[in-house]
Amino acid sequence: MQELTDFKRLSLNQITTDLWNLREALDGCARAGIPQIAIWRHKVAEGGLAEAKRLVRDAGIRVSSLCRGGMFPAATASERQARLDDNRRAVEEAAELGTDTLVLVCGPAPDRDIATARRWVAEGIEQLLPFAKSRGVKLAIEPLHPMYAAERSVVVTLDQANTMAEAYATDEVGVIVDVFHVWWDPELYKQIQRASGRILGFHVSDWIVPTPHMLMGRGMMGDGVIEIRRIREAVEAAGYAGPIEVEIFNQAIWDRPGDDVLAQIKARYMEHV
């Protein structure tokens, strides 16, 4: 297996150092020599879009993606329209921050009708796409682990995400491969190959055993059971050579000094990614 030799593709997904605001995260990346960052919208909202854009420009750190759009299903047509409007704002934010990738966490069903919720996701992407294209932003469908189907996303396999994305051109709609969400899938490598040319992001963390928490239980790379390097080589074989985002939800990691976390990320990136 081929090892990475530098940090050119490394990106800090901002949620990994959640206690840092955007300025602190950008400063941390600069100190650590991490050239890219994936920004979360709630961090942009803290100081406003104009301030976020200025901070990014002054830091000289590239924005690999913006998280998140999506959350399309809702109980009423007016609610679904409001969510579509918010997705348009997300597209604007991505464009202003200099990234062409908006990550879509597609949303749960508002009731028991999961099939209709999936249809609403497909309709939401179709309605959002013309605006995204006008702003030079690609829509990146991120399938989540099935345990999140009831709370966060009815799109739970890479097969589903591929099927939705394939309705559009490869430079319009693609998929995110997040190892935490897809490592278990018996069709994983088949679906990665199927996604050739439309993989818009690659996210890494690890699956800890026993899993301490559904949401906050991700581990640092190397602390769990995921074949991270094998998956990385598969997405590269499918044509992906873009940023590798480290995205970890874990309170114990959040509570540590951010600079220490970034130092460990760099070490584990070389060893396990």
Side-chain angles (χ1 to χ4, degrees):
M1 291 189 176
Q2 185 175 359
E3 296 183 5
L4 296 165
T5 58
D6 56 47
F7 298 107
K8 291 179 181 178
R9 296 173 63 194
L10 178 58
S11 177
L12 171 68
N13 188 292
Q14 197 179 3
I15 207 70
T16 305
T17 53
D18 188 57
L19 297 186
W20 273 350
N21 61 31
L22 181 56
R23 179 194 297 273
E24 292 166 333
L26 289 165
D27 288 347
C29 285
R31 287 192 300 271
I34 295 175
Q36 301 177 83
I37 189 169
I39 295 177
W40 279 66
R41 293 183 68 204
H42 69 283
K43 298 291 188 179
V44 174
E46 289 174 355
L49 179 57
E51 174 68 3
K53 184 178 179 180
R54 185 189 67 78
L55 290 171
V56 168
R57 183 189 64 239
D58 291 351
I61 304 292
R62 177 178 178 267
V63 180
S64 57
S65 70
L66 180 68
C67 194
R68 57 176 167 67
M71 293 292 165
F72 296 107
T76 67
S78 62
E79 289 178 281
R80 293 193 292 277
Q81 182 60 51
R83 295 185 181 203
L84 182 60
D85 292 342
D86 184 62
N87 273 277
R88 292 193 178 102
R89 288 190 290 273
V91 166
E92 287 280 8
E93 291 167 13
E96 288 295 310
L97 292 169
T99 180
D100 66 355
T101 303
L102 176 63
V103 177
L104 301 181
V105 176
C106 292
D111 53 23
R112 292 180 176 86
D113 190 350
I114 195 169
T116 296
R118 286 171 174 151
R119 176 169 57 81
W120 285 334
V121 170
E123 289 174 357
I125 291 170
E126 182 178 13
Q127 292 167 342
L128 180 61
L129 183 57
F131 184 74
K133 287 172 62 177
S134 75
R135 302 294 281 129
V137 174
K138 302 172 186 176
L139 303 180
I141 304 168
E142 181 173 11
L144 301 196
H145 189 281
M147 68 179 173
Y148 297 124
E151 294 179 274
R152 288 177 175 80
S153 181
V154 294
V155 179
V156 295
T157 66
L158 191 52
D159 178 33
Q160 280 182 289
N162 275 330
T163 298
M164 288 183 172
E166 284 169 352
Y168 307 98
T170 55
D171 62 349
E172 296 174 345
V173 181
V175 300
I176 299 290
V177 177
D178 184 318
V179 300
F180 182 82
H181 293 307
V182 302
W183 70 273
W184 58 273
D185 189 343
E187 290 200 346
L188 174 59
Y189 296 99
K190 173 184 173 181
Q191 293 300 325
I192 288 174
Q193 184 179 29
R194 177 184 170 193
S196 180
R198 64 171 75 245
I199 298 173
L200 297 180
F202 180 55
H203 300 179
V204 297
S205 60
D206 218 331
W207 188 285
I208 303 171
V209 179
T211 307
H213 190 276
M214 278 182 63
L215 179 61
M216 301 294 293
R218 299 193 194 194
M220 186 66 67
M221 298 82 72
D223 285 349
V225 300
I226 300 178
E227 293 181 288
I228 301 171
R229 184 161 292 168
R230 182 184 175 194
I231 301 174
R232 191 256 298 171
E233 291 180 339
V235 301
E236 289 172 354
Y240 182 75
I244 299 173
E245 296 183 9
V246 178
E247 182 182 39
I248 302 175
F249 294 73
N250 186 307
Q251 190 66 53
I253 290 175
W254 289 359
D255 289 340
R256 291 170 50 196
D259 289 321
D260 292 351
V261 173
L262 297 194
Q264 185 180 40
I265 283 173
K266 292 177 69 177
R268 297 294 185 89
Y269 178 82
M270 284 298 187
E271 185 177 359
H272 295 287
V273 179

